[in-house]
Amino acid sequence: MKEQVIPYKIYLEESEMPKQWYNVRADMTNKPAPLLNPETLQPLTKAELSQIFCDELVEQELDDTTAYIDIPKEIHDFYKMYRPSPLVRAYCLEEKLQTPAKIYYKFEGNNTSGSHKLNSAIAQAYYAKKQGLKGVTTETGAGQWGTALSMACAYLNLDCKVFMVKNSYELKPFRREVMRTYGANVTASPSETTKVGRDMLERFPGTGGSLGCAISEAVEVATQTEGYRYVLGSVLNQVMLHQSIIGLEAKAAADKYGIKFDTVIGCAGGGSNLGGLIAPFMGEKLRGEADYDIVAVEPASCPSFTRGKFAYDFCDTGMICPLAKMYTLGSSFMPSSHHAGGLRFHGMSPTLSQLYDDGFMRAKSYVQSEIFEAAVEFAKVEGILPAPESSHAIKAAIDEALRCRETGEEKNILFGLTGTGYFDLMGYEQYNNGTITDYVPTDEELQKGFDRLPKVNR
Amino acid sequence: MKEQVIPYKIYLEESEMPKQWYNVRADMTNKPAPLLNPETLQPLTKAELSQIFCDELVEQELDDTTAYIDIPKEIHDFYKMYRPSPLVRAYCLEEKLQTPAKIYYKFEGNNTSGSHKLNSAIAQAYYAKKQGLKGVTTETGAGQWGTALSMACAYLNLDCKVFMVKNSYELKPFRREVMRTYGANVTASPSETTKVGRDMLERFPGTGGSLGCAISEAVEVATQTEGYRYVLGSVLNQVMLHQSIIGLEAKAAADKYGIKFDTVIGCAGGGSNLGGLIAPFMGEKLRGEADYDIVAVEPASCPSFTRGKFAYDFCDTGMICPLAKMYTLGSSFMPSSHHAGGLRFHGMSPTLSQLYDDGFMRAKSYVQSEIFEAAVEFAKVEGILPAPESSHAIKAAIDEALRCRETGEEKNILFGLTGTGYFDLMGYEQYNNGTITDYVPTDEELQKGFDRLPKVNR
């Protein structure tokens, strides 16, 4: 252990990078509920899942007993190009807040995808390549996941078909161009290239599309094209597994300097970042080796943990995907179109949902004007312009540090800075112009989503 | 010295970061020629320069004898937030090229300004703050320098007024919003807020502006507003000094692993990156301690080194700034509007110009379709989407590595990856669509610029 002068940024040596992912399900007494076939309401079999996902990922999806899974050398080599990511001591933010707390953040934005999404994209692309597949399909909304997958596929020389929600395709041409630059085939969804898309266009001519429809198109192409499978950037157990690299690195870096975190904070949409960041800390907590205050932060406009139901639901608004047991607002829930702060998914990772339901973590929510205010405060003192998503964790960390200023506690706070906001400047523009609006759904609005939850819950 | 297993990325420890800048002029026998007052044609005095620049920067501008200048603690602390930048071994590019050469790049893009510009922005803002000034003014074209300066000023709580070329202001709203988010006052140039701007608008209603006009507006405001000075992101000797941090870090990282570079390659617009990257290597070469093949790379559309004249010229198209002796295409030269690849400045750092004229470095140029092709090849194997500017260095490094494949030489090649291309996606879009055009000025076109060089040269 090095002496206690903490640098601004702690980088692991390449030789210190984790060589295995950690599967938190292995240490859970109450395992996450299985995915169900929406027609039979029976747990999905390996054979059924293998029609959608590639084989090794199906194994990972279903494995809830193996605690550590080797990271293949090829993925580890790719990780070395942009990892280890730094564990940063937020000295300037601490000074600005005049807090006795010590604030750390794990920064995942230093790669062209601009976020942690690349950690799972390369893994999913690698297993597809290993299986001898020709390519993968996926959907993307804002474009972060699509960009990450395009990068991974370019590296492995794998075909990549991305269905991008039409509104985003038109409003975020730069995200689209990054994907095209990496060789991806990017199609505005709904499109004429699938049955689902053609039906949608006939029913709603001029629609701007939705994530649910884009998922349906991507799944249709994957299941009906020889040599293709579908990949997804969040929610799934396999994604939580790959993203555990975030928390494992953070813990290894902290251990080098004898830092023991008290509070671990992550933003939560589908849960990919939160699940990854907290993994090893949650493991210690589950095994009774240490205690941590683990906090999920979500937008008040899409409050799945704080106001949702723990129930079986569809992962997509099109209601064609498997049923997952999770905290959900109902697959018909649509966050306000005024919401610029990301994390718009109606549900939540089944693994995280179970952990939350069992009391191993807490959750809080903020409206987006609070989020952008925290983002700008952070950017001015720490330099990095954060993604609005990441800024949910920043806001919660600032609040915790200010609480410590009141109580005098010298807590060690860790939060996940999942990415940069370089492609989110329309949201910042609204904030700078004072035209950003906060939206919180009423109980009645939420009830409509709950009323449409699948019958299996009744 | 560590054993010879070179990691993908070499990071210096915080304690190993350089504590002094290196001033290459101290080791030059032929010093760069002094800036001249355009009216008297006499070297500018300290008093004259102090009306434009703040005092300590004037000292640095004029000091051509002190080899090492301390980096103030406050600047060093700011550097720690985003530096040291990694020295990266391009293993994947080497494999793709099947070259025996070893390729390294110093990556300066891991900060929100997206480039090396922040290294000098924080220094210039710091000295302004130290002098008790209220704020600084500057111009920005594409927005990289304006962003860097906005970040530095936000950190120091200094007012920042940026005149942004109107075309860019309208076509690059996201760059504008980053600056506004950091609290900068961003004005489209020409504007109604200055005499120069009003004159320009009266003569050319509806003009999209130019860098020359934006410089004039920024200088007018700086010199006529109590407590303000003007700052500039390239060309000046002081900028070369601050940017030496790039080369010093690269050399320290290489020394840790016993790496001895043979070739050092940098892109060149005004020279801020090239001058910084090569500084310590050029110093060794000037002192006769080591030899390096030092290569400047510029766009064929704006070929100041390869086809320009070494002469006194204005730094701005508006012809109000001091005269600098440099390689220039003439201050009236305008690169084609079809040029998306950056590095559009008509002149070149006087320091680098003198070194080039004295034979201490060579220069080459490429057309932009070659540049974007190299950029995409690099992005696909190394992950990072490079700025078009940086891609000039990538192209030259690839060519050198391919030459080594022919000859079998195991050369160590270093190039500067100055920044990311996240705000340059319109150029990539043109490339992806196959609509990018190459432009090379004819000798007759260049002669027009030379004919208008100031009379002092005759």
Side-chain angles (χ1 to χ4, degrees):
Chain A
M1 189 187 303
K2 297 206 179 182
E3 64 175 68
Q4 283 289 353
V5 179
I6 314 287
Y8 278 64
K9 298 188 268 24
I10 306 174
Y11 281 104
L12 296 177
E13 299 278 327
E14 203 170 83
S15 58
E16 296 169 322
M17 285 172 65
K19 295 191 171 52
Q20 298 181 307
W21 292 304
Y22 168 63
N23 181 6
V24 74
R25 286 168 290 161
D27 285 313
M28 291 169 68
T29 307
N30 294 331
K31 307 287 185 188
L35 297 173
L36 300 187
N37 180 319
E39 290 175 18
T40 66
L41 300 184
Q42 294 301 305
L44 279 169
T45 63
K46 201 177 287 191
E48 287 172 316
L49 281 168
S50 296
Q51 293 168 15
I52 308 174
F53 303 118
C54 69
D55 299 350
E56 201 141 344
L57 291 167
V58 171
E59 298 282 346
Q60 292 181 357
E61 190 63 29
L62 297 174
D63 183 348
D64 58 12
T65 55
T66 310
Y68 288 93
I69 294 178
D70 287 344
I71 301 173
K73 182 183 177 302
E74 292 82 353
I75 298 175
H76 193 70
D77 280 349
F78 186 87
Y79 279 170
K80 286 186 206 163
M81 288 207 292
Y82 71 101
R83 312 197 65 81
S85 71
L87 176 67
V88 187
R89 174 78 182 270
Y91 280 113
C92 298
L93 182 61
E94 289 172 19
E95 194 186 321
K96 172 89 189 295
L97 300 175
Q98 292 287 301
T99 175
K102 294 171 183 63
I103 308 174
Y104 296 86
Y105 56 91
K106 180 72 170 164
F107 179 43
E108 293 288 318
N110 274 348
N111 70 74
T112 292
S113 83
S115 81
H116 64 292
K117 293 283 183 185
L118 197 51
N119 301 331
S120 186
I122 185 61
Q124 296 190 47
Y126 167 76
Y127 290 118
K129 183 80 179 177
K130 193 178 162 201
Q131 193 174 322
L133 299 176
K134 288 184 201 150
V136 291
T137 72
T138 200
E139 75 292 329
T140 201
Q144 242 170 14
W145 167 247
T147 306
L149 190 68
S150 303
M151 291 172 67
C153 288
Y155 179 78
L156 294 167
N157 202 16
L158 198 65
D159 188 44
C160 180
K161 296 185 193 302
V162 180
F163 288 89
M164 186 172 189
V165 176
K166 193 175 182 184
N167 267 340
S168 292
Y169 184 91
E170 287 166 358
L171 287 174
K172 293 201 167 188
F174 293 163
R175 273 288 190 201
R176 180 188 75 207
E177 283 310 317
V178 181
M179 291 184 262
R180 287 184 69 207
T181 300
Y182 281 94
N185 182 316
V186 187
T187 305
S189 168
S191 77
E192 295 282 354
T193 66
T194 66
K195 182 176 180 309
V196 173
R198 287 188 296 272
D199 288 353
M200 189 65 72
L201 286 172
E202 196 174 306
R203 282 169 55 203
F204 308 99
T207 173
S210 70
L211 209 55
C213 176
I215 293 177
S216 308
E217 291 200 82
V219 172
E220 181 183 319
V221 171
T223 51
Q224 295 184 7
T225 313
E226 179 71 24
Y228 281 76
R229 291 293 186 282
Y230 168 72
V231 296
L232 180 65
S234 192
V235 182
L236 298 172
N237 296 324
Q238 59 190 266
V239 177
M240 304 296 128
L241 176 71
H242 306 148
Q243 293 295 357
S244 69
I245 188 78
I246 305 172
L248 292 166
E249 276 188 9
K251 185 158 171 16
D255 286 349
K256 267 180 90 165
Y257 286 86
I259 302 158
K260 169 82 176 63
F261 298 120
D262 300 291
T263 307
V264 183
I265 300 170
C267 62
S272 67
N273 152 70
L274 180 70
L277 178 71
I278 68 175
F281 308 105
M282 183 60 84
E284 286 185 285
K285 191 165 178 170
L286 289 167
R287 296 188 302 270
E289 295 165 6
D291 197 16
Y292 298 95
D293 179 23
I294 297 178
V295 187
V297 193
E298 59 187 13
S301 60
C302 191
S304 35
F305 265 146
T306 49
R307 296 175 68 198
K309 299 277 187 219
F310 190 35
Y312 265 110
D313 195 10
F314 291 96
C315 290
D316 61 324
T317 48
M319 298 191 187
I320 61 161
C321 281
L323 295 172
K325 190 174 178 194
M326 58 186 175
Y327 273 83
T328 180
L329 300 167
S331 66
S332 61
F333 178 82
M334 288 289 285
S336 160
S337 61
H338 297 298
H339 178 66
L343 310 173
R344 301 164 63 102
F345 189 60
H346 66 275
M348 183 59 66
S349 142
T351 302
L352 294 178
S353 294
Q354 187 65 52
L355 289 165
Y356 178 69
D357 203 58
D358 288 344
F360 289 103
M361 53 195 277
R362 63 188 173 98
K364 60 194 305 184
S365 69
Y366 292 102
V367 295
Q368 67 179 356
S369 59
E370 295 175 301
I371 294 309
F372 277 96
E373 188 184 355
V376 172
E377 181 172 11
F378 179 83
K380 286 184 176 174
V381 293
E382 290 286 323
I384 300 165
L385 186 80
E389 291 85 344
S390 321
S391 307
H392 288 74
I394 293 174
K395 172 63 177 164
I398 288 176
D399 279 2
E400 180 67 10
L402 291 175
R403 202 187 58 70
C404 287
R405 185 171 73 185
E406 298 304 311
T407 63
E409 289 169 285
E410 296 182 18
K411 288 204 168 180
N412 286 319
I413 300 168
L414 168 66
F415 73 87
L417 189 67
T418 57
T420 51
Y422 308 150
F423 291 92
D424 303 295
L425 281 155
M426 281 191 289
Y428 277 98
E429 183 172 14
Q430 288 173 30
Y431 178 75
N432 293 336
N433 290 341
T435 58
I436 209 157
T437 52
D438 293 330
Y439 164 76
V440 181
T442 63
D443 288 341
E444 290 69 28
E445 284 168 318
L446 292 185
Q447 192 57 49
K448 282 184 200 160
F450 301 146
D451 289 342
R452 296 178 63 184
L453 284 171
K455 289 183 184 158
V456 62
N457 295 301
R458 289 167 204 163
Chain B
M1 191 186 303
K2 297 206 178 179
E3 64 174 69
Q4 283 288 356
V5 179
I6 313 285
Y8 279 63
K9 298 188 268 28
I10 305 175
Y11 279 105
L12 295 176
E13 300 278 327
E14 201 169 86
S15 57
E16 296 168 321
M17 286 172 64
K19 296 192 168 53
Q20 297 181 307
W21 292 303
Y22 168 63
N23 180 7
V24 75
R25 286 168 289 162
D27 286 312
M28 291 168 69
T29 307
N30 294 332
K31 308 288 184 188
L35 297 173
L36 300 187
N37 180 320
E39 291 176 18
T40 65
L41 300 185
Q42 295 302 305
L44 279 169
T45 63
K46 201 178 285 191
E48 287 173 316
L49 281 168
S50 296
Q51 293 168 15
I52 308 174
F53 303 120
C54 69
D55 299 348
E56 201 141 345
L57 292 168
V58 171
E59 299 282 348
Q60 293 181 357
E61 190 63 28
L62 297 174
D63 183 348
D64 58 11
T65 55
T66 311
Y68 287 93
I69 294 178
D70 287 344
I71 302 173
K73 183 184 176 301
E74 292 82 353
I75 298 175
H76 193 70
D77 280 350
F78 187 87
Y79 280 170
K80 286 186 206 163
M81 289 207 292
Y82 71 101
R83 309 196 67 81
S85 71
L87 176 66
V88 186
R89 172 78 182 268
Y91 280 115
C92 297
L93 182 60
E94 289 172 21
E95 193 186 321
K96 173 88 188 297
L97 299 175
Q98 292 286 301
T99 176
K102 294 170 183 62
I103 308 174
Y104 296 85
Y105 55 92
K106 180 72 171 165
F107 180 42
E108 291 289 317
N110 274 348
N111 70 73
T112 291
S113 83
S115 82
H116 65 292
K117 293 283 183 186
L118 197 51
N119 301 331
S120 186
I122 184 62
Q124 296 191 48
Y126 166 76
Y127 290 118
K129 183 79 180 178
K130 194 179 162 202
Q131 192 173 323
L133 299 176
K134 287 184 201 151
V136 290
T137 72
T138 201
E139 76 292 329
T140 201
Q144 242 170 14
W145 167 248
T147 306
L149 190 68
S150 304
M151 291 172 67
C153 287
Y155 178 78
L156 293 166
N157 202 16
L158 197 66
D159 189 42
C160 180
K161 297 187 194 300
V162 180
F163 288 89
M164 187 173 188
V165 176
K166 195 175 181 182
N167 269 338
S168 292
Y169 184 92
E170 286 166 358
L171 286 174
K172 294 200 166 188
F174 293 164
R175 272 289 189 199
R176 180 188 74 208
E177 282 311 317
V178 180
M179 291 184 262
R180 287 184 69 207
T181 300
Y182 281 94
N185 183 315
V186 187
T187 305
S189 169
S191 76
E192 294 284 352
T193 67
T194 66
K195 181 175 180 310
V196 173
R198 287 188 296 271
D199 288 352
M200 189 65 73
L201 287 171
E202 196 174 306
R203 283 168 55 202
F204 309 99
T207 175
S210 71
L211 208 55
C213 176
I215 292 177
S216 308
E217 291 201 81
V219 172
E220 180 182 320
V221 170
T223 51
Q224 295 185 6
T225 313
E226 179 71 24
Y228 281 76
R229 291 294 185 283
Y230 169 72
V231 296
L232 181 63
S234 193
V235 181
L236 297 173
N237 296 323
Q238 58 189 268
V239 177
M240 303 297 128
L241 176 72
H242 306 147
Q243 294 294 357
S244 68
I245 188 80
I246 304 172
L248 292 166
E249 277 187 9
K251 184 155 170 22
D255 285 349
K256 269 180 88 165
Y257 286 86
I259 302 158
K260 169 82 177 61
F261 298 120
D262 299 291
T263 307
V264 182
I265 300 169
C267 61
S272 67
N273 152 69
L274 179 69
L277 177 70
I278 69 175
F281 308 105
M282 183 60 83
E284 287 185 285
K285 191 166 177 170
L286 289 167
R287 296 189 302 270
E289 297 165 6
D291 196 18
Y292 298 95
D293 179 23
I294 298 180
V295 188
V297 193
E298 58 186 13
S301 61
C302 191
S304 35
F305 266 144
T306 50
R307 296 176 68 199
K309 300 276 187 219
F310 189 36
Y312 264 109
D313 195 10
F314 291 95
C315 290
D316 61 323
T317 49
M319 300 191 186
I320 61 161
C321 280
L323 295 172
K325 190 175 178 195
M326 58 185 176
Y327 273 84
T328 180
L329 301 167
S331 66
S332 61
F333 179 82
M334 288 289 287
S336 161
S337 63
H338 296 298
H339 178 66
L343 310 173
R344 302 164 62 101
F345 188 60
H346 67 276
M348 183 60 66
S349 143
T351 302
L352 294 177
S353 294
Q354 187 65 53
L355 289 166
Y356 178 68
D357 203 58
D358 288 343
F360 289 104
M361 52 195 277
R362 62 188 175 99
K364 58 194 304 185
S365 69
Y366 293 102
V367 294
Q368 65 179 356
S369 58
E370 295 175 302
I371 294 308
F372 277 97
E373 188 183 355
V376 172
E377 181 172 12
F378 179 84
K380 285 184 176 175
V381 293
E382 289 287 323
I384 299 165
L385 186 79
E389 290 87 344
S390 322
S391 305
H392 288 74
I394 294 173
K395 172 62 178 164
I398 288 176
D399 278 2
E400 180 68 10
L402 291 175
R403 203 187 58 71
C404 288
R405 186 172 71 185
E406 299 303 313
T407 62
E409 289 169 287
E410 295 184 18
K411 288 205 167 179
N412 286 319
I413 300 167
L414 168 66
F415 73 87
L417 189 68
T418 58
T420 51
Y422 309 151
F423 291 92
D424 303 295
L425 282 154
M426 280 191 287
Y428 278 99
E429 184 172 12
Q430 287 172 32
Y431 178 76
N432 293 334
N433 291 340
T435 58
I436 210 157
T437 53
D438 292 330
Y439 164 76
V440 181
T442 63
D443 288 341
E444 290 69 28
E445 283 169 318
L446 292 185
Q447 192 57 48
K448 282 185 201 160
F450 300 147
D451 289 342
R452 296 178 65 185
L453 284 171
K455 289 182 184 158
V456 63
N457 296 299
R458 290 168 204 162

